[in-house]
Amino acid sequence: MKQIAEIFSQGEEIVCGQTVDSNAAWLSQQLVDLGFTLKRHTAVGDDVDDLVALFTEIAERADCCICTGGLGPTIDDLTAEAVSIASGQPLRFDDQAFADIQQYYARRNRVMPPANRKQAMLPQSAIRIDNAYGTAPGFALQFKRCWFVCLPGVPSEMKQMFTALVRQQLLQRFPLQPDCLVTLRSIGIGESAIQQCLAEFDVPAGVQLGFRAAPDEVQTKLLFPSNFPEQEKRDCVAAVADKIGDYVFAIDGLDAAQGDLLDVVSKAMSRKSYSLALLETASQGQLAAKCLGCDWLRRVEINLDWGRNTGADDAGAGDVMPIAKIWAEQLKAREQTDFALVQLFAGSAEDYRDKDRAIVLYNALATPSGVVSTQLNAYGALKSKQNQAALLALDLLRRYLQNKCL
């Protein structure tokens, strides 16, 4: 039977939207990977009665709850007090926790304010969780059905404590059987089109199929039960990838993670010690920015006037692709690189700015075996068009590398 987990975040700044609760998102992924079933995320402000009520509710319905925030030294940090009231356990002074807080200040040649003594007050039955990066120790305790783990709200401290200490404690405490999530990452195709591709595919019993549209890709997710046969799993993933086609650029979850589009391209380019020269227009430097730090990108040219002063926005737009191909060959020869990628577009300035109008992208890639090209449309607001232009140009290189070289 699956263990039920919840995430509980404390802090007025989270409830009011002043701080984005990135802790809940990160912890949820960690717990799912361990094999928990996540049922709820709850955020409560700095009100002790509300906190006590929520602790009491969660104690009845969840097997595990990770709580973040409310462990600081100030009057609005109420987690320990609320747990004490809800569980009926008095707070006790933890000598080791206090010594650790004092050492934290001593190492920094600072005087510890008296208020920090509060952070060493923990519920009587709680197990202390040491904090190597801050003053607030965490703690864990059993309250009715639920094993509560209370951690600081500072993300860097919380993540270090969970990774170094809490994760192993949970594995020892709970009989966890993690499901296997396999993610097929694709570009150039939408969710509805992928669903149509899979319309006649019979998803095996017990396997969950889902989709997620991210800013730079669309993900097709297959969640396999922990006891699903390995070879059948691989066969299922291969069948889904075949149905979607070469829009799929990476598959995560079967073996080592392959990463995003740039990761896939960068690994392939570095593996063969290839080099690339780039001319971009519609993406206005965003492709070069995405490739920042990639030593295989040898030359970047950005032409902001293309499509504005060349007549590419009128009836002569059909002549753009031959220009792109010629420029790609010339750029490759001039820079003496293995590849040259040229991105041109057709569309007026109004087309580029208007979210309801499209621009036409012409991508040409000069390779060791000739020139390959794509003609695609980019839609949406200006920044969306800019990002699409960068990704679709990079995807042309990815397709060549995966289909021809690997």
Side-chain angles (χ1 to χ4, degrees):
M1 183 177 177
K2 283 282 190 178
Q3 303 292 309
I4 303 300
E6 295 193 26
I7 306 293
F8 174 12
S9 307
Q10 190 222 307
E12 207 70 41
E13 67 279 6
I14 291 173
V15 175
C16 295
Q18 297 167 345
T19 299
V20 175
D21 190 5
S22 61
N23 286 343
W26 187 86
L27 283 168
S28 295
Q29 187 62 62
Q30 301 303 309
L31 293 176
V32 169
D33 288 347
L34 287 174
F36 286 97
T37 295
L38 258 292
K39 288 292 188 179
R40 289 180 177 85
H41 289 187
T42 310
V44 173
D46 303 322
D47 183 283
V48 70
D49 292 333
D50 290 341
L51 292 166
V52 169
L54 188 57
F55 275 118
T56 304
E57 290 174 22
I58 294 174
E60 299 279 3
R61 68 189 182 211
D63 299 300
C64 178
C65 179
I66 310 296
C67 313
T68 61
L71 299 181
T74 56
I75 58 173
D76 57 345
D77 290 304
L78 301 169
T79 295
E81 178 184 349
V83 171
S84 171
I85 295 170
S87 64
Q89 299 183 36
L91 294 174
R92 61 175 176 79
F93 183 75
D94 189 302
D95 293 317
Q96 185 59 55
F98 189 62
D100 291 342
I101 297 169
Q102 289 177 311
Q103 289 177 13
Y104 178 90
Y105 279 94
R107 286 194 298 269
R108 289 158 178 77
N109 295 316
R110 294 165 56 193
V111 177
M112 187 196 78
N116 284 90
R117 192 178 192 280
K118 170 187 175 183
Q119 293 178 290
M121 300 296 295
L122 306 179
Q124 188 171 41
S125 70
I127 298 172
R128 185 185 68 254
I129 302 174
D130 293 326
N131 183 352
Y133 292 88
T135 62
F139 63 87
L141 82 168
Q142 186 75 35
F143 175 30
K144 296 184 180 178
R145 170 183 170 179
C146 187
W147 179 249
F148 285 92
V149 178
C150 299
L151 299 173
V154 179
S156 59
E157 297 177 26
M158 180 277 295
K159 291 179 181 179
Q160 186 277 333
M161 294 167 72
F162 185 93
T163 303
L165 301 170
V166 175
R167 187 179 188 279
Q168 189 58 37
Q169 293 173 0
L170 295 178
L171 288 171
Q172 293 172 351
R173 190 172 191 88
F174 294 97
L176 299 171
Q177 293 183 312
D179 294 333
C180 176
L181 176 64
V182 178
T183 303
L184 294 86
R185 309 173 73 166
S186 56
I187 185 172
I189 184 171
E191 289 177 283
S192 56
I194 293 176
Q195 182 168 294
Q196 184 61 35
C197 291
L198 301 177
E200 298 180 3
F201 178 74
D202 292 326
V203 180
V207 178
Q208 297 179 33
L209 171 65
F211 307 95
R212 175 175 177 260
D216 291 355
E217 63 189 64
V218 174
Q219 299 175 356
T220 304
K221 295 177 174 292
L222 293 164
L223 184 63
F224 295 90
S226 57
N227 60 351
F228 199 86
E230 182 65 23
Q231 190 55 53
E232 291 183 31
K233 179 199 308 176
R234 291 180 178 274
D235 291 343
C236 176
V237 173
V240 171
D242 185 64
K243 292 282 188 183
I244 300 173
D246 63 1
Y247 297 104
V248 176
F249 64 81
I251 299 175
D252 291 343
L254 281 182
D255 301 300
Q258 295 179 313
D260 62 19
L261 181 62
L262 179 61
D263 290 331
V264 170
V265 170
S266 191
K267 289 172 187 174
M269 293 289 286
S270 299
R271 188 180 302 124
K272 301 261 182 155
S273 298
Y274 285 143
S275 57
L276 174 73
L278 171 64
L279 168 62
E280 53 181 315
T281 58
S283 53
Q284 299 188 16
Q286 188 161 137
L287 179 49
K290 289 179 183 290
C291 298
L292 188 66
C294 296
D295 57 7
W296 44 264
L297 183 58
R298 302 291 173 78
R299 170 72 178 179
V300 178
E301 297 180 13
I302 302 171
N303 187 335
L304 300 183
D305 289 329
W306 174 265
R308 186 186 308 159
N309 299 328
T310 60
D313 56 342
D314 57 26
D319 297 330
V320 175
M321 186 60 83
I323 297 172
K325 291 180 177 180
I326 292 170
W327 284 13
E329 290 179 317
Q330 291 176 344
L331 182 60
K332 179 177 179 293
R334 188 179 77 230
E335 299 301 328
Q336 293 294 294
T337 51
D338 297 294
F339 297 95
L341 179 57
V342 169
Q343 168 212 93
L344 305 180
F345 76 99
S348 66
E350 289 75 19
D351 293 334
Y352 200 107
R353 289 191 296 266
D354 192 331
K355 67 179 180 61
D356 296 320
R357 298 188 194 179
I359 60 172
V360 184
L361 302 171
Y362 298 87
N363 296 315
L365 177 68
T367 78
S369 57
V371 180
V372 294
S373 61
T374 56
Q375 177 179 328
L376 301 159
N377 292 336
Y379 300 90
L382 187 149
K383 289 188 177 180
S384 176
K385 288 188 176 86
Q386 183 184 17
N387 192 50
Q388 288 177 61
L391 293 170
L392 292 173
L394 186 63
D395 189 52
L396 175 58
L397 177 59
R398 184 275 303 180
R399 287 168 180 264
Y400 179 85
L401 293 169
Q402 288 187 332
N403 295 330
K404 300 292 185 180
C405 302
L406 304 182

